[in-house]
Amino acid sequence: MRWRWIILIAALVLLVGLPVVAVYRVLNSQAGLELVLAQFQRLQNIRIEATGATGTLAGPMRVERLVIEHEAVHIEVYDLRLRARMRGILHGIVQIDQFEAARVEVVLKHREPPPPSEPAFLPRFVEVSAPAVRLGDIGLTLQDGQRVEVASLRAALAMTRWRIDFTDLVVDDPAGHVEGDLRLRARQP
């Protein structure tokens, strides 16, 4: 009878402990970062490619070049540095303490009108908070070919399914300086 209890307790420890250790390893190792980045290849409507990624998901992470390719937009980010907090991830809250990039290029593309659906920025269960966003050398090419460039941008970001809020927004460029708040809402035009 005593051996049964010992075996039962050992099985419970393994049953609970093994997933905890596996999640810890994924969040806190370079191999875990590489595993998650490899899963991006499975996405169907978007291509995400990270080159030169080092660090961990839970700790500081650096990506030399991040490319996001979608039918509506092409984004390239250079020298991206992130430091995220993973405590709220199970509740769908992604908190990024550090979000910095040396250079960002965004190209808006022509595309067929999407089928009618409710517009949204994120899935229902995800919220993103980044109180310290710092981007340098930003380039935006609009669908008509017009190009807008900015030397730097600083802001606090809060993003939900329905809106993107930039507070304490500061945009600096040799052409001028802009401060304020910006709110984007997901709505049909």
Side-chain angles (χ1 to χ4, degrees), residues 9-187:
I9 291 171
L12 284 173
V13 167
L14 280 175
L15 204 62
V16 171
L18 200 57
V20 170
V21 169
V23 168
Y24 180 83
R25 293 279 298 161
V26 166
L27 293 177
N28 293 291
S29 70
Q30 176 76 31
L33 173 63
E34 292 169 6
L35 175 71
V36 170
L37 292 176
Q39 299 309 306
F40 287 149
Q41 303 302 320
R42 294 178 160 194
L43 298 174
Q44 294 178 2
N45 296 329
I46 190 168
R47 181 178 66 89
I48 301 174
E49 180 183 310
T51 306
T54 57
T56 67
L57 291 169
M61 176 183 12
R62 181 175 180 269
V63 179
E64 288 178 14
R65 181 174 178 243
L66 177 69
V67 176
I68 302 171
E69 188 74 41
H70 183 268
E71 65 183 24
V73 68
H74 173 85
I75 302 171
E76 291 189 34
V77 181
Y78 297 89
D79 194 18
L80 175 64
R81 295 176 192 181
L82 298 168
R83 188 174 61 243
R85 270 194 251 166
M86 293 293 151
R87 281 180 260 167
I89 198 81
L90 292 176
H91 302 290
I93 299 170
V94 178
Q95 189 156 15
I96 303 170
D97 293 333
Q98 176 190 21
F99 187 104
E100 298 178 3
R103 189 170 123 218
V104 179
E105 289 291 328
V106 179
V107 178
L108 301 179
K109 300 181 195 177
H110 291 284
R111 71 173 185 161
E112 295 296 318
S117 65
E118 191 173 47
F121 294 117
L122 293 171
R124 269 184 230 290
F125 57 89
V126 178
E127 292 182 14
V128 176
S129 170
V133 174
R134 299 190 189 299
L135 306 176
D137 194 16
I138 304 160
L140 169 65
T141 304
L142 303 175
Q143 289 178 343
D144 64 2
Q146 183 180 0
R147 184 153 171 84
V148 179
E149 295 182 358
V150 173
S152 70
L153 178 147
R154 293 187 322 265
L157 168 72
M159 188 172 178
T160 66
R161 177 174 176 81
W162 309 114
R163 73 177 195 278
I164 300 174
D165 291 329
F166 287 103
T167 55
D168 303 323
L169 177 67
V170 177
V171 179
D172 278 316
D173 191 72
H177 174 87
V178 177
E179 292 185 27
D181 295 338
L182 175 66
R183 174 172 283 166
L184 302 173
R185 293 187 186 269
R187 294 188 181 177

